[in-house]
Each structure stands twice: as C-alpha cells, then as structure tokens.
Amino acid sequence: MTSFKKESKVSWSICPKYVPAESTTRFRLVSYNMLAQFDIRLPYFSYSPPGCLDWMNRSKATLTLLRELQSDFLCLQELDAYDFYKTKLETYGYYSVYIQRDGKEPDGCGIFYKHNVVELLIEDTIKYNDLLELCYDDDDLGRDCVGIMGAFRLRGAPSNHVVIVANTHIFWDPWLSHVKFAQAKYLTQRLAEFKTLVSKKFGCVEPSMIVAGDFNSVPNCMVY
C-alpha cells in the first residue's frame, strides 16, 4: 500500500506562463474561486466592507465579472449557488457540468462553456472520498473534496482533436499536506484514465489537457 504521509522536498523550476500554439484555433479559459457564502465569516474579512459580503451584492458583482471576462470556459470552485449561476449564465450562451460535495456544505466545482464555441463530448467526476477505500489505513483521507472533467471538441478545430478540461478543489489544511498529495496523485491517475478513454472513444491520438482549480498549495510542495 502506498504511503501518502511522507512528503519529501522536491526541486522545482518556474515554467513559462504559456507556449504559443501554432494552430490558429484559440480559446480563453478562466479559473475562479467563487468563495462559498457559508465560508464568509466576518472576522476573516474584516478588511472588506460588509455590503460586499452580502449575497445579493456579491452575486450580482460576480456575475457581471464572469460575463465581462468573455471566456469560452469558466472553471469555478466553491460554487454554492449552481442553479442561480446556471440559469443566469445560460442567457449568455453557457452550458455547464457540475459536481457538488457529498458533505453538509453545499458547494462544488463547475465547468461552464460557450456551446457555440465548443461541444461537450463526455464528462466524468472525481470524489476524493474514494481514497478511503484505496488507503483504508488513513482516516485523514475522508474529505469530501471533488473534481470534474470533460472532453470537448472546439468548433472549427480539426474534427478529431479533443480538449480535456478538468476543474478541482484540493483540501485546504496546511497541516495535512499528505491529504493534498494523495488527492493530487489520485487526480493525475483519474486524468490519465480519462485521457485514454477519450483517445479511444473519439479517435484523438493525443488530446490536449488543461487542469484548473484551487489547489491550496505552494510551489515547493508535492502537489505542485
């Protein structure tokens, strides 16, 4: 059984922010933590005017921002008002896929996409609670963090090329770094399996892949 508790120091290097693509097919993707309303505790946000923390004000401001970003993909974490944003963003041309956490907190991860730009081919979800069954000697792994991934075909791109977009939220606690590491390792495993499935099902030899999310991690950790 693989141990997730020991996190060794790793060397890391800063990569370029992007590598220009040779293809003329372009799209924009935004990753955004929405800050779930139940997580707003006034002592933590003493620097913020109370009116900015009010749901009605926040939801309107956030919706305006998301619309003005004019992104083809919106990968949203801590999304606890999915029905609200789903309905509103549909009027701006977005379809969406979503997974909610299993626990008492009503937030989750969603991928919104412009349906006139991309076509959703297949989707799958990730529940990190599955790690309890894979590593039954570590109760710390029982966290209800989630992720979601979809395979998309860009309209106007080569007909057989597929882009995989994944969105996730990794556990937050800095004192339980082995939990973050285990979730990141499980994420890469599930992505590899999904990539193989997509490649075979849709005849794309090498699907492109973008992994978005809130990883609650720093560059010198094993998650990175």
Side-chain angles (χ1 to χ4, degrees):
M1 185 66 64
T2 303
S3 172
F4 292 101
K5 289 195 173 183
K6 292 182 179 179
E7 181 174 338
S8 60
K9 293 183 178 179
V10 294
S11 61
W12 59 280
S13 60
I14 297 176
C15 297
K17 289 185 178 180
Y18 68 92
V19 177
E22 294 181 1
S23 170
T24 57
T25 302
R26 297 188 178 195
F27 60 89
R28 174 179 293 183
L29 183 145
V30 167
S31 178
Y32 200 89
N33 185 310
M34 303 289 281
L35 179 57
Q37 193 69 19
F38 67 82
D39 252 351
I40 295 181
R41 300 173 178 86
L42 292 179
Y44 298 158
F45 297 93
S46 58
Y47 55 83
S48 181
C52 293
L53 303 177
D54 177 75
W55 160 246
M56 292 300 296
N57 294 332
R58 284 188 65 227
S59 60
K60 291 178 181 178
T62 306
L63 186 63
T64 299
L65 173 64
L66 294 176
R67 182 180 73 248
E68 291 179 349
L69 287 171
Q70 298 183 9
S71 183
D72 301 306
F73 292 96
L74 296 168
C75 294
L76 308 181
Q77 307 91 39
E78 283 197 44
L79 183 61
D80 63 346
Y82 172 63
D83 289 339
F84 169 81
Y85 286 104
K86 177 179 181 291
T87 301
K88 296 294 185 181
L89 288 172
E90 278 181 353
T91 65
Y92 305 130
Y94 288 96
Y95 288 170
S96 59
V97 290
Y98 175 74
I99 180 173
Q100 182 174 315
R101 292 201 284 167
D102 289 331
K104 62 180 180 179
E105 311 299 0
D107 68 304
C109 294
I111 300 175
F112 293 76
Y113 58 96
K114 282 285 186 72
H115 63 83
N116 66 330
V117 177
V118 296
E119 173 192 5
L120 176 64
L121 302 176
I122 189 174
E123 64 179 280
D124 200 1
T125 58
I126 300 171
K127 295 186 177 183
Y128 294 110
N129 267 335
D130 292 346
L131 286 167
L132 279 176
E133 298 179 7
L134 301 174
C135 309
Y136 25 74
D137 60 340
D138 190 347
D139 291 339
D140 284 342
L141 296 176
R143 310 293 168 174
D144 59 358
C145 304
V146 293
I148 191 166
M149 47 195 173
F152 299 87
R153 181 169 286 136
L154 275 69
R155 305 186 191 279
S159 60
N160 67 331
H161 189 70
V162 177
V163 177
I164 294 173
V165 175
N167 183 29
T168 191
H169 195 171
I170 297 294
F171 187 54
W172 66 272
D173 195 336
W175 296 103
L176 293 174
S177 60
H178 67 286
V179 175
K180 302 174 191 282
F181 175 52
Q183 291 180 347
K185 190 171 183 180
Y186 186 54
L187 171 65
T188 58
Q189 174 190 327
R190 291 292 308 278
L191 282 170
E193 294 170 352
F194 189 63
K195 183 178 180 181
T196 299
L197 171 66
V198 168
S199 180
K200 292 179 178 178
K201 188 176 181 66
F202 300 102
C204 181
V205 177
E206 189 62 28
S208 301
M209 184 179 295
I210 298 177
V211 184
D214 182 346
F215 300 95
N216 280 308
S217 301
V218 293
N220 62 344
C221 72
M222 287 294 289
V223 170
Y224 188 95

mmCIF file of all heavy atoms in Angstrom, residues 48 96 157:
data_model
loop_
_atom_site.group_PDB
_atom_site.id
_atom_site.type_symbol
_atom_site.label_atom_id
_atom_site.label_comp_id
_atom_site.label_asym_id
_atom_site.label_seq_id
_atom_site.Cartn_x
_atom_site.Cartn_y
_atom_site.Cartn_z
ATOM 1 N N SER A 48 -13.002 43.966 4.474
ATOM 2 C CA SER A 48 -13.985 44.134 3.411
ATOM 3 C C SER A 48 -15.230 44.853 3.934
ATOM 4 O O SER A 48 -15.739 44.507 5.005
ATOM 5 C CB SER A 48 -14.386 42.767 2.852
ATOM 6 O OG SER A 48 -15.326 42.922 1.813
ATOM 7 N N SER A 96 -23.255 23.933 -18.925
ATOM 8 C CA SER A 96 -22.382 23.630 -17.796
ATOM 9 C C SER A 96 -22.511 22.192 -17.327
ATOM 10 O O SER A 96 -23.501 21.513 -17.601
ATOM 11 C CB SER A 96 -22.702 24.571 -16.619
ATOM 12 O OG SER A 96 -24.057 24.429 -16.208
ATOM 13 N N ALA A 157 -12.006 23.604 -35.112
ATOM 14 C CA ALA A 157 -10.715 22.940 -34.980
ATOM 15 C C ALA A 157 -10.726 21.654 -35.802
ATOM 16 O O ALA A 157 -11.783 21.220 -36.269
ATOM 17 C CB ALA A 157 -10.428 22.630 -33.515
#
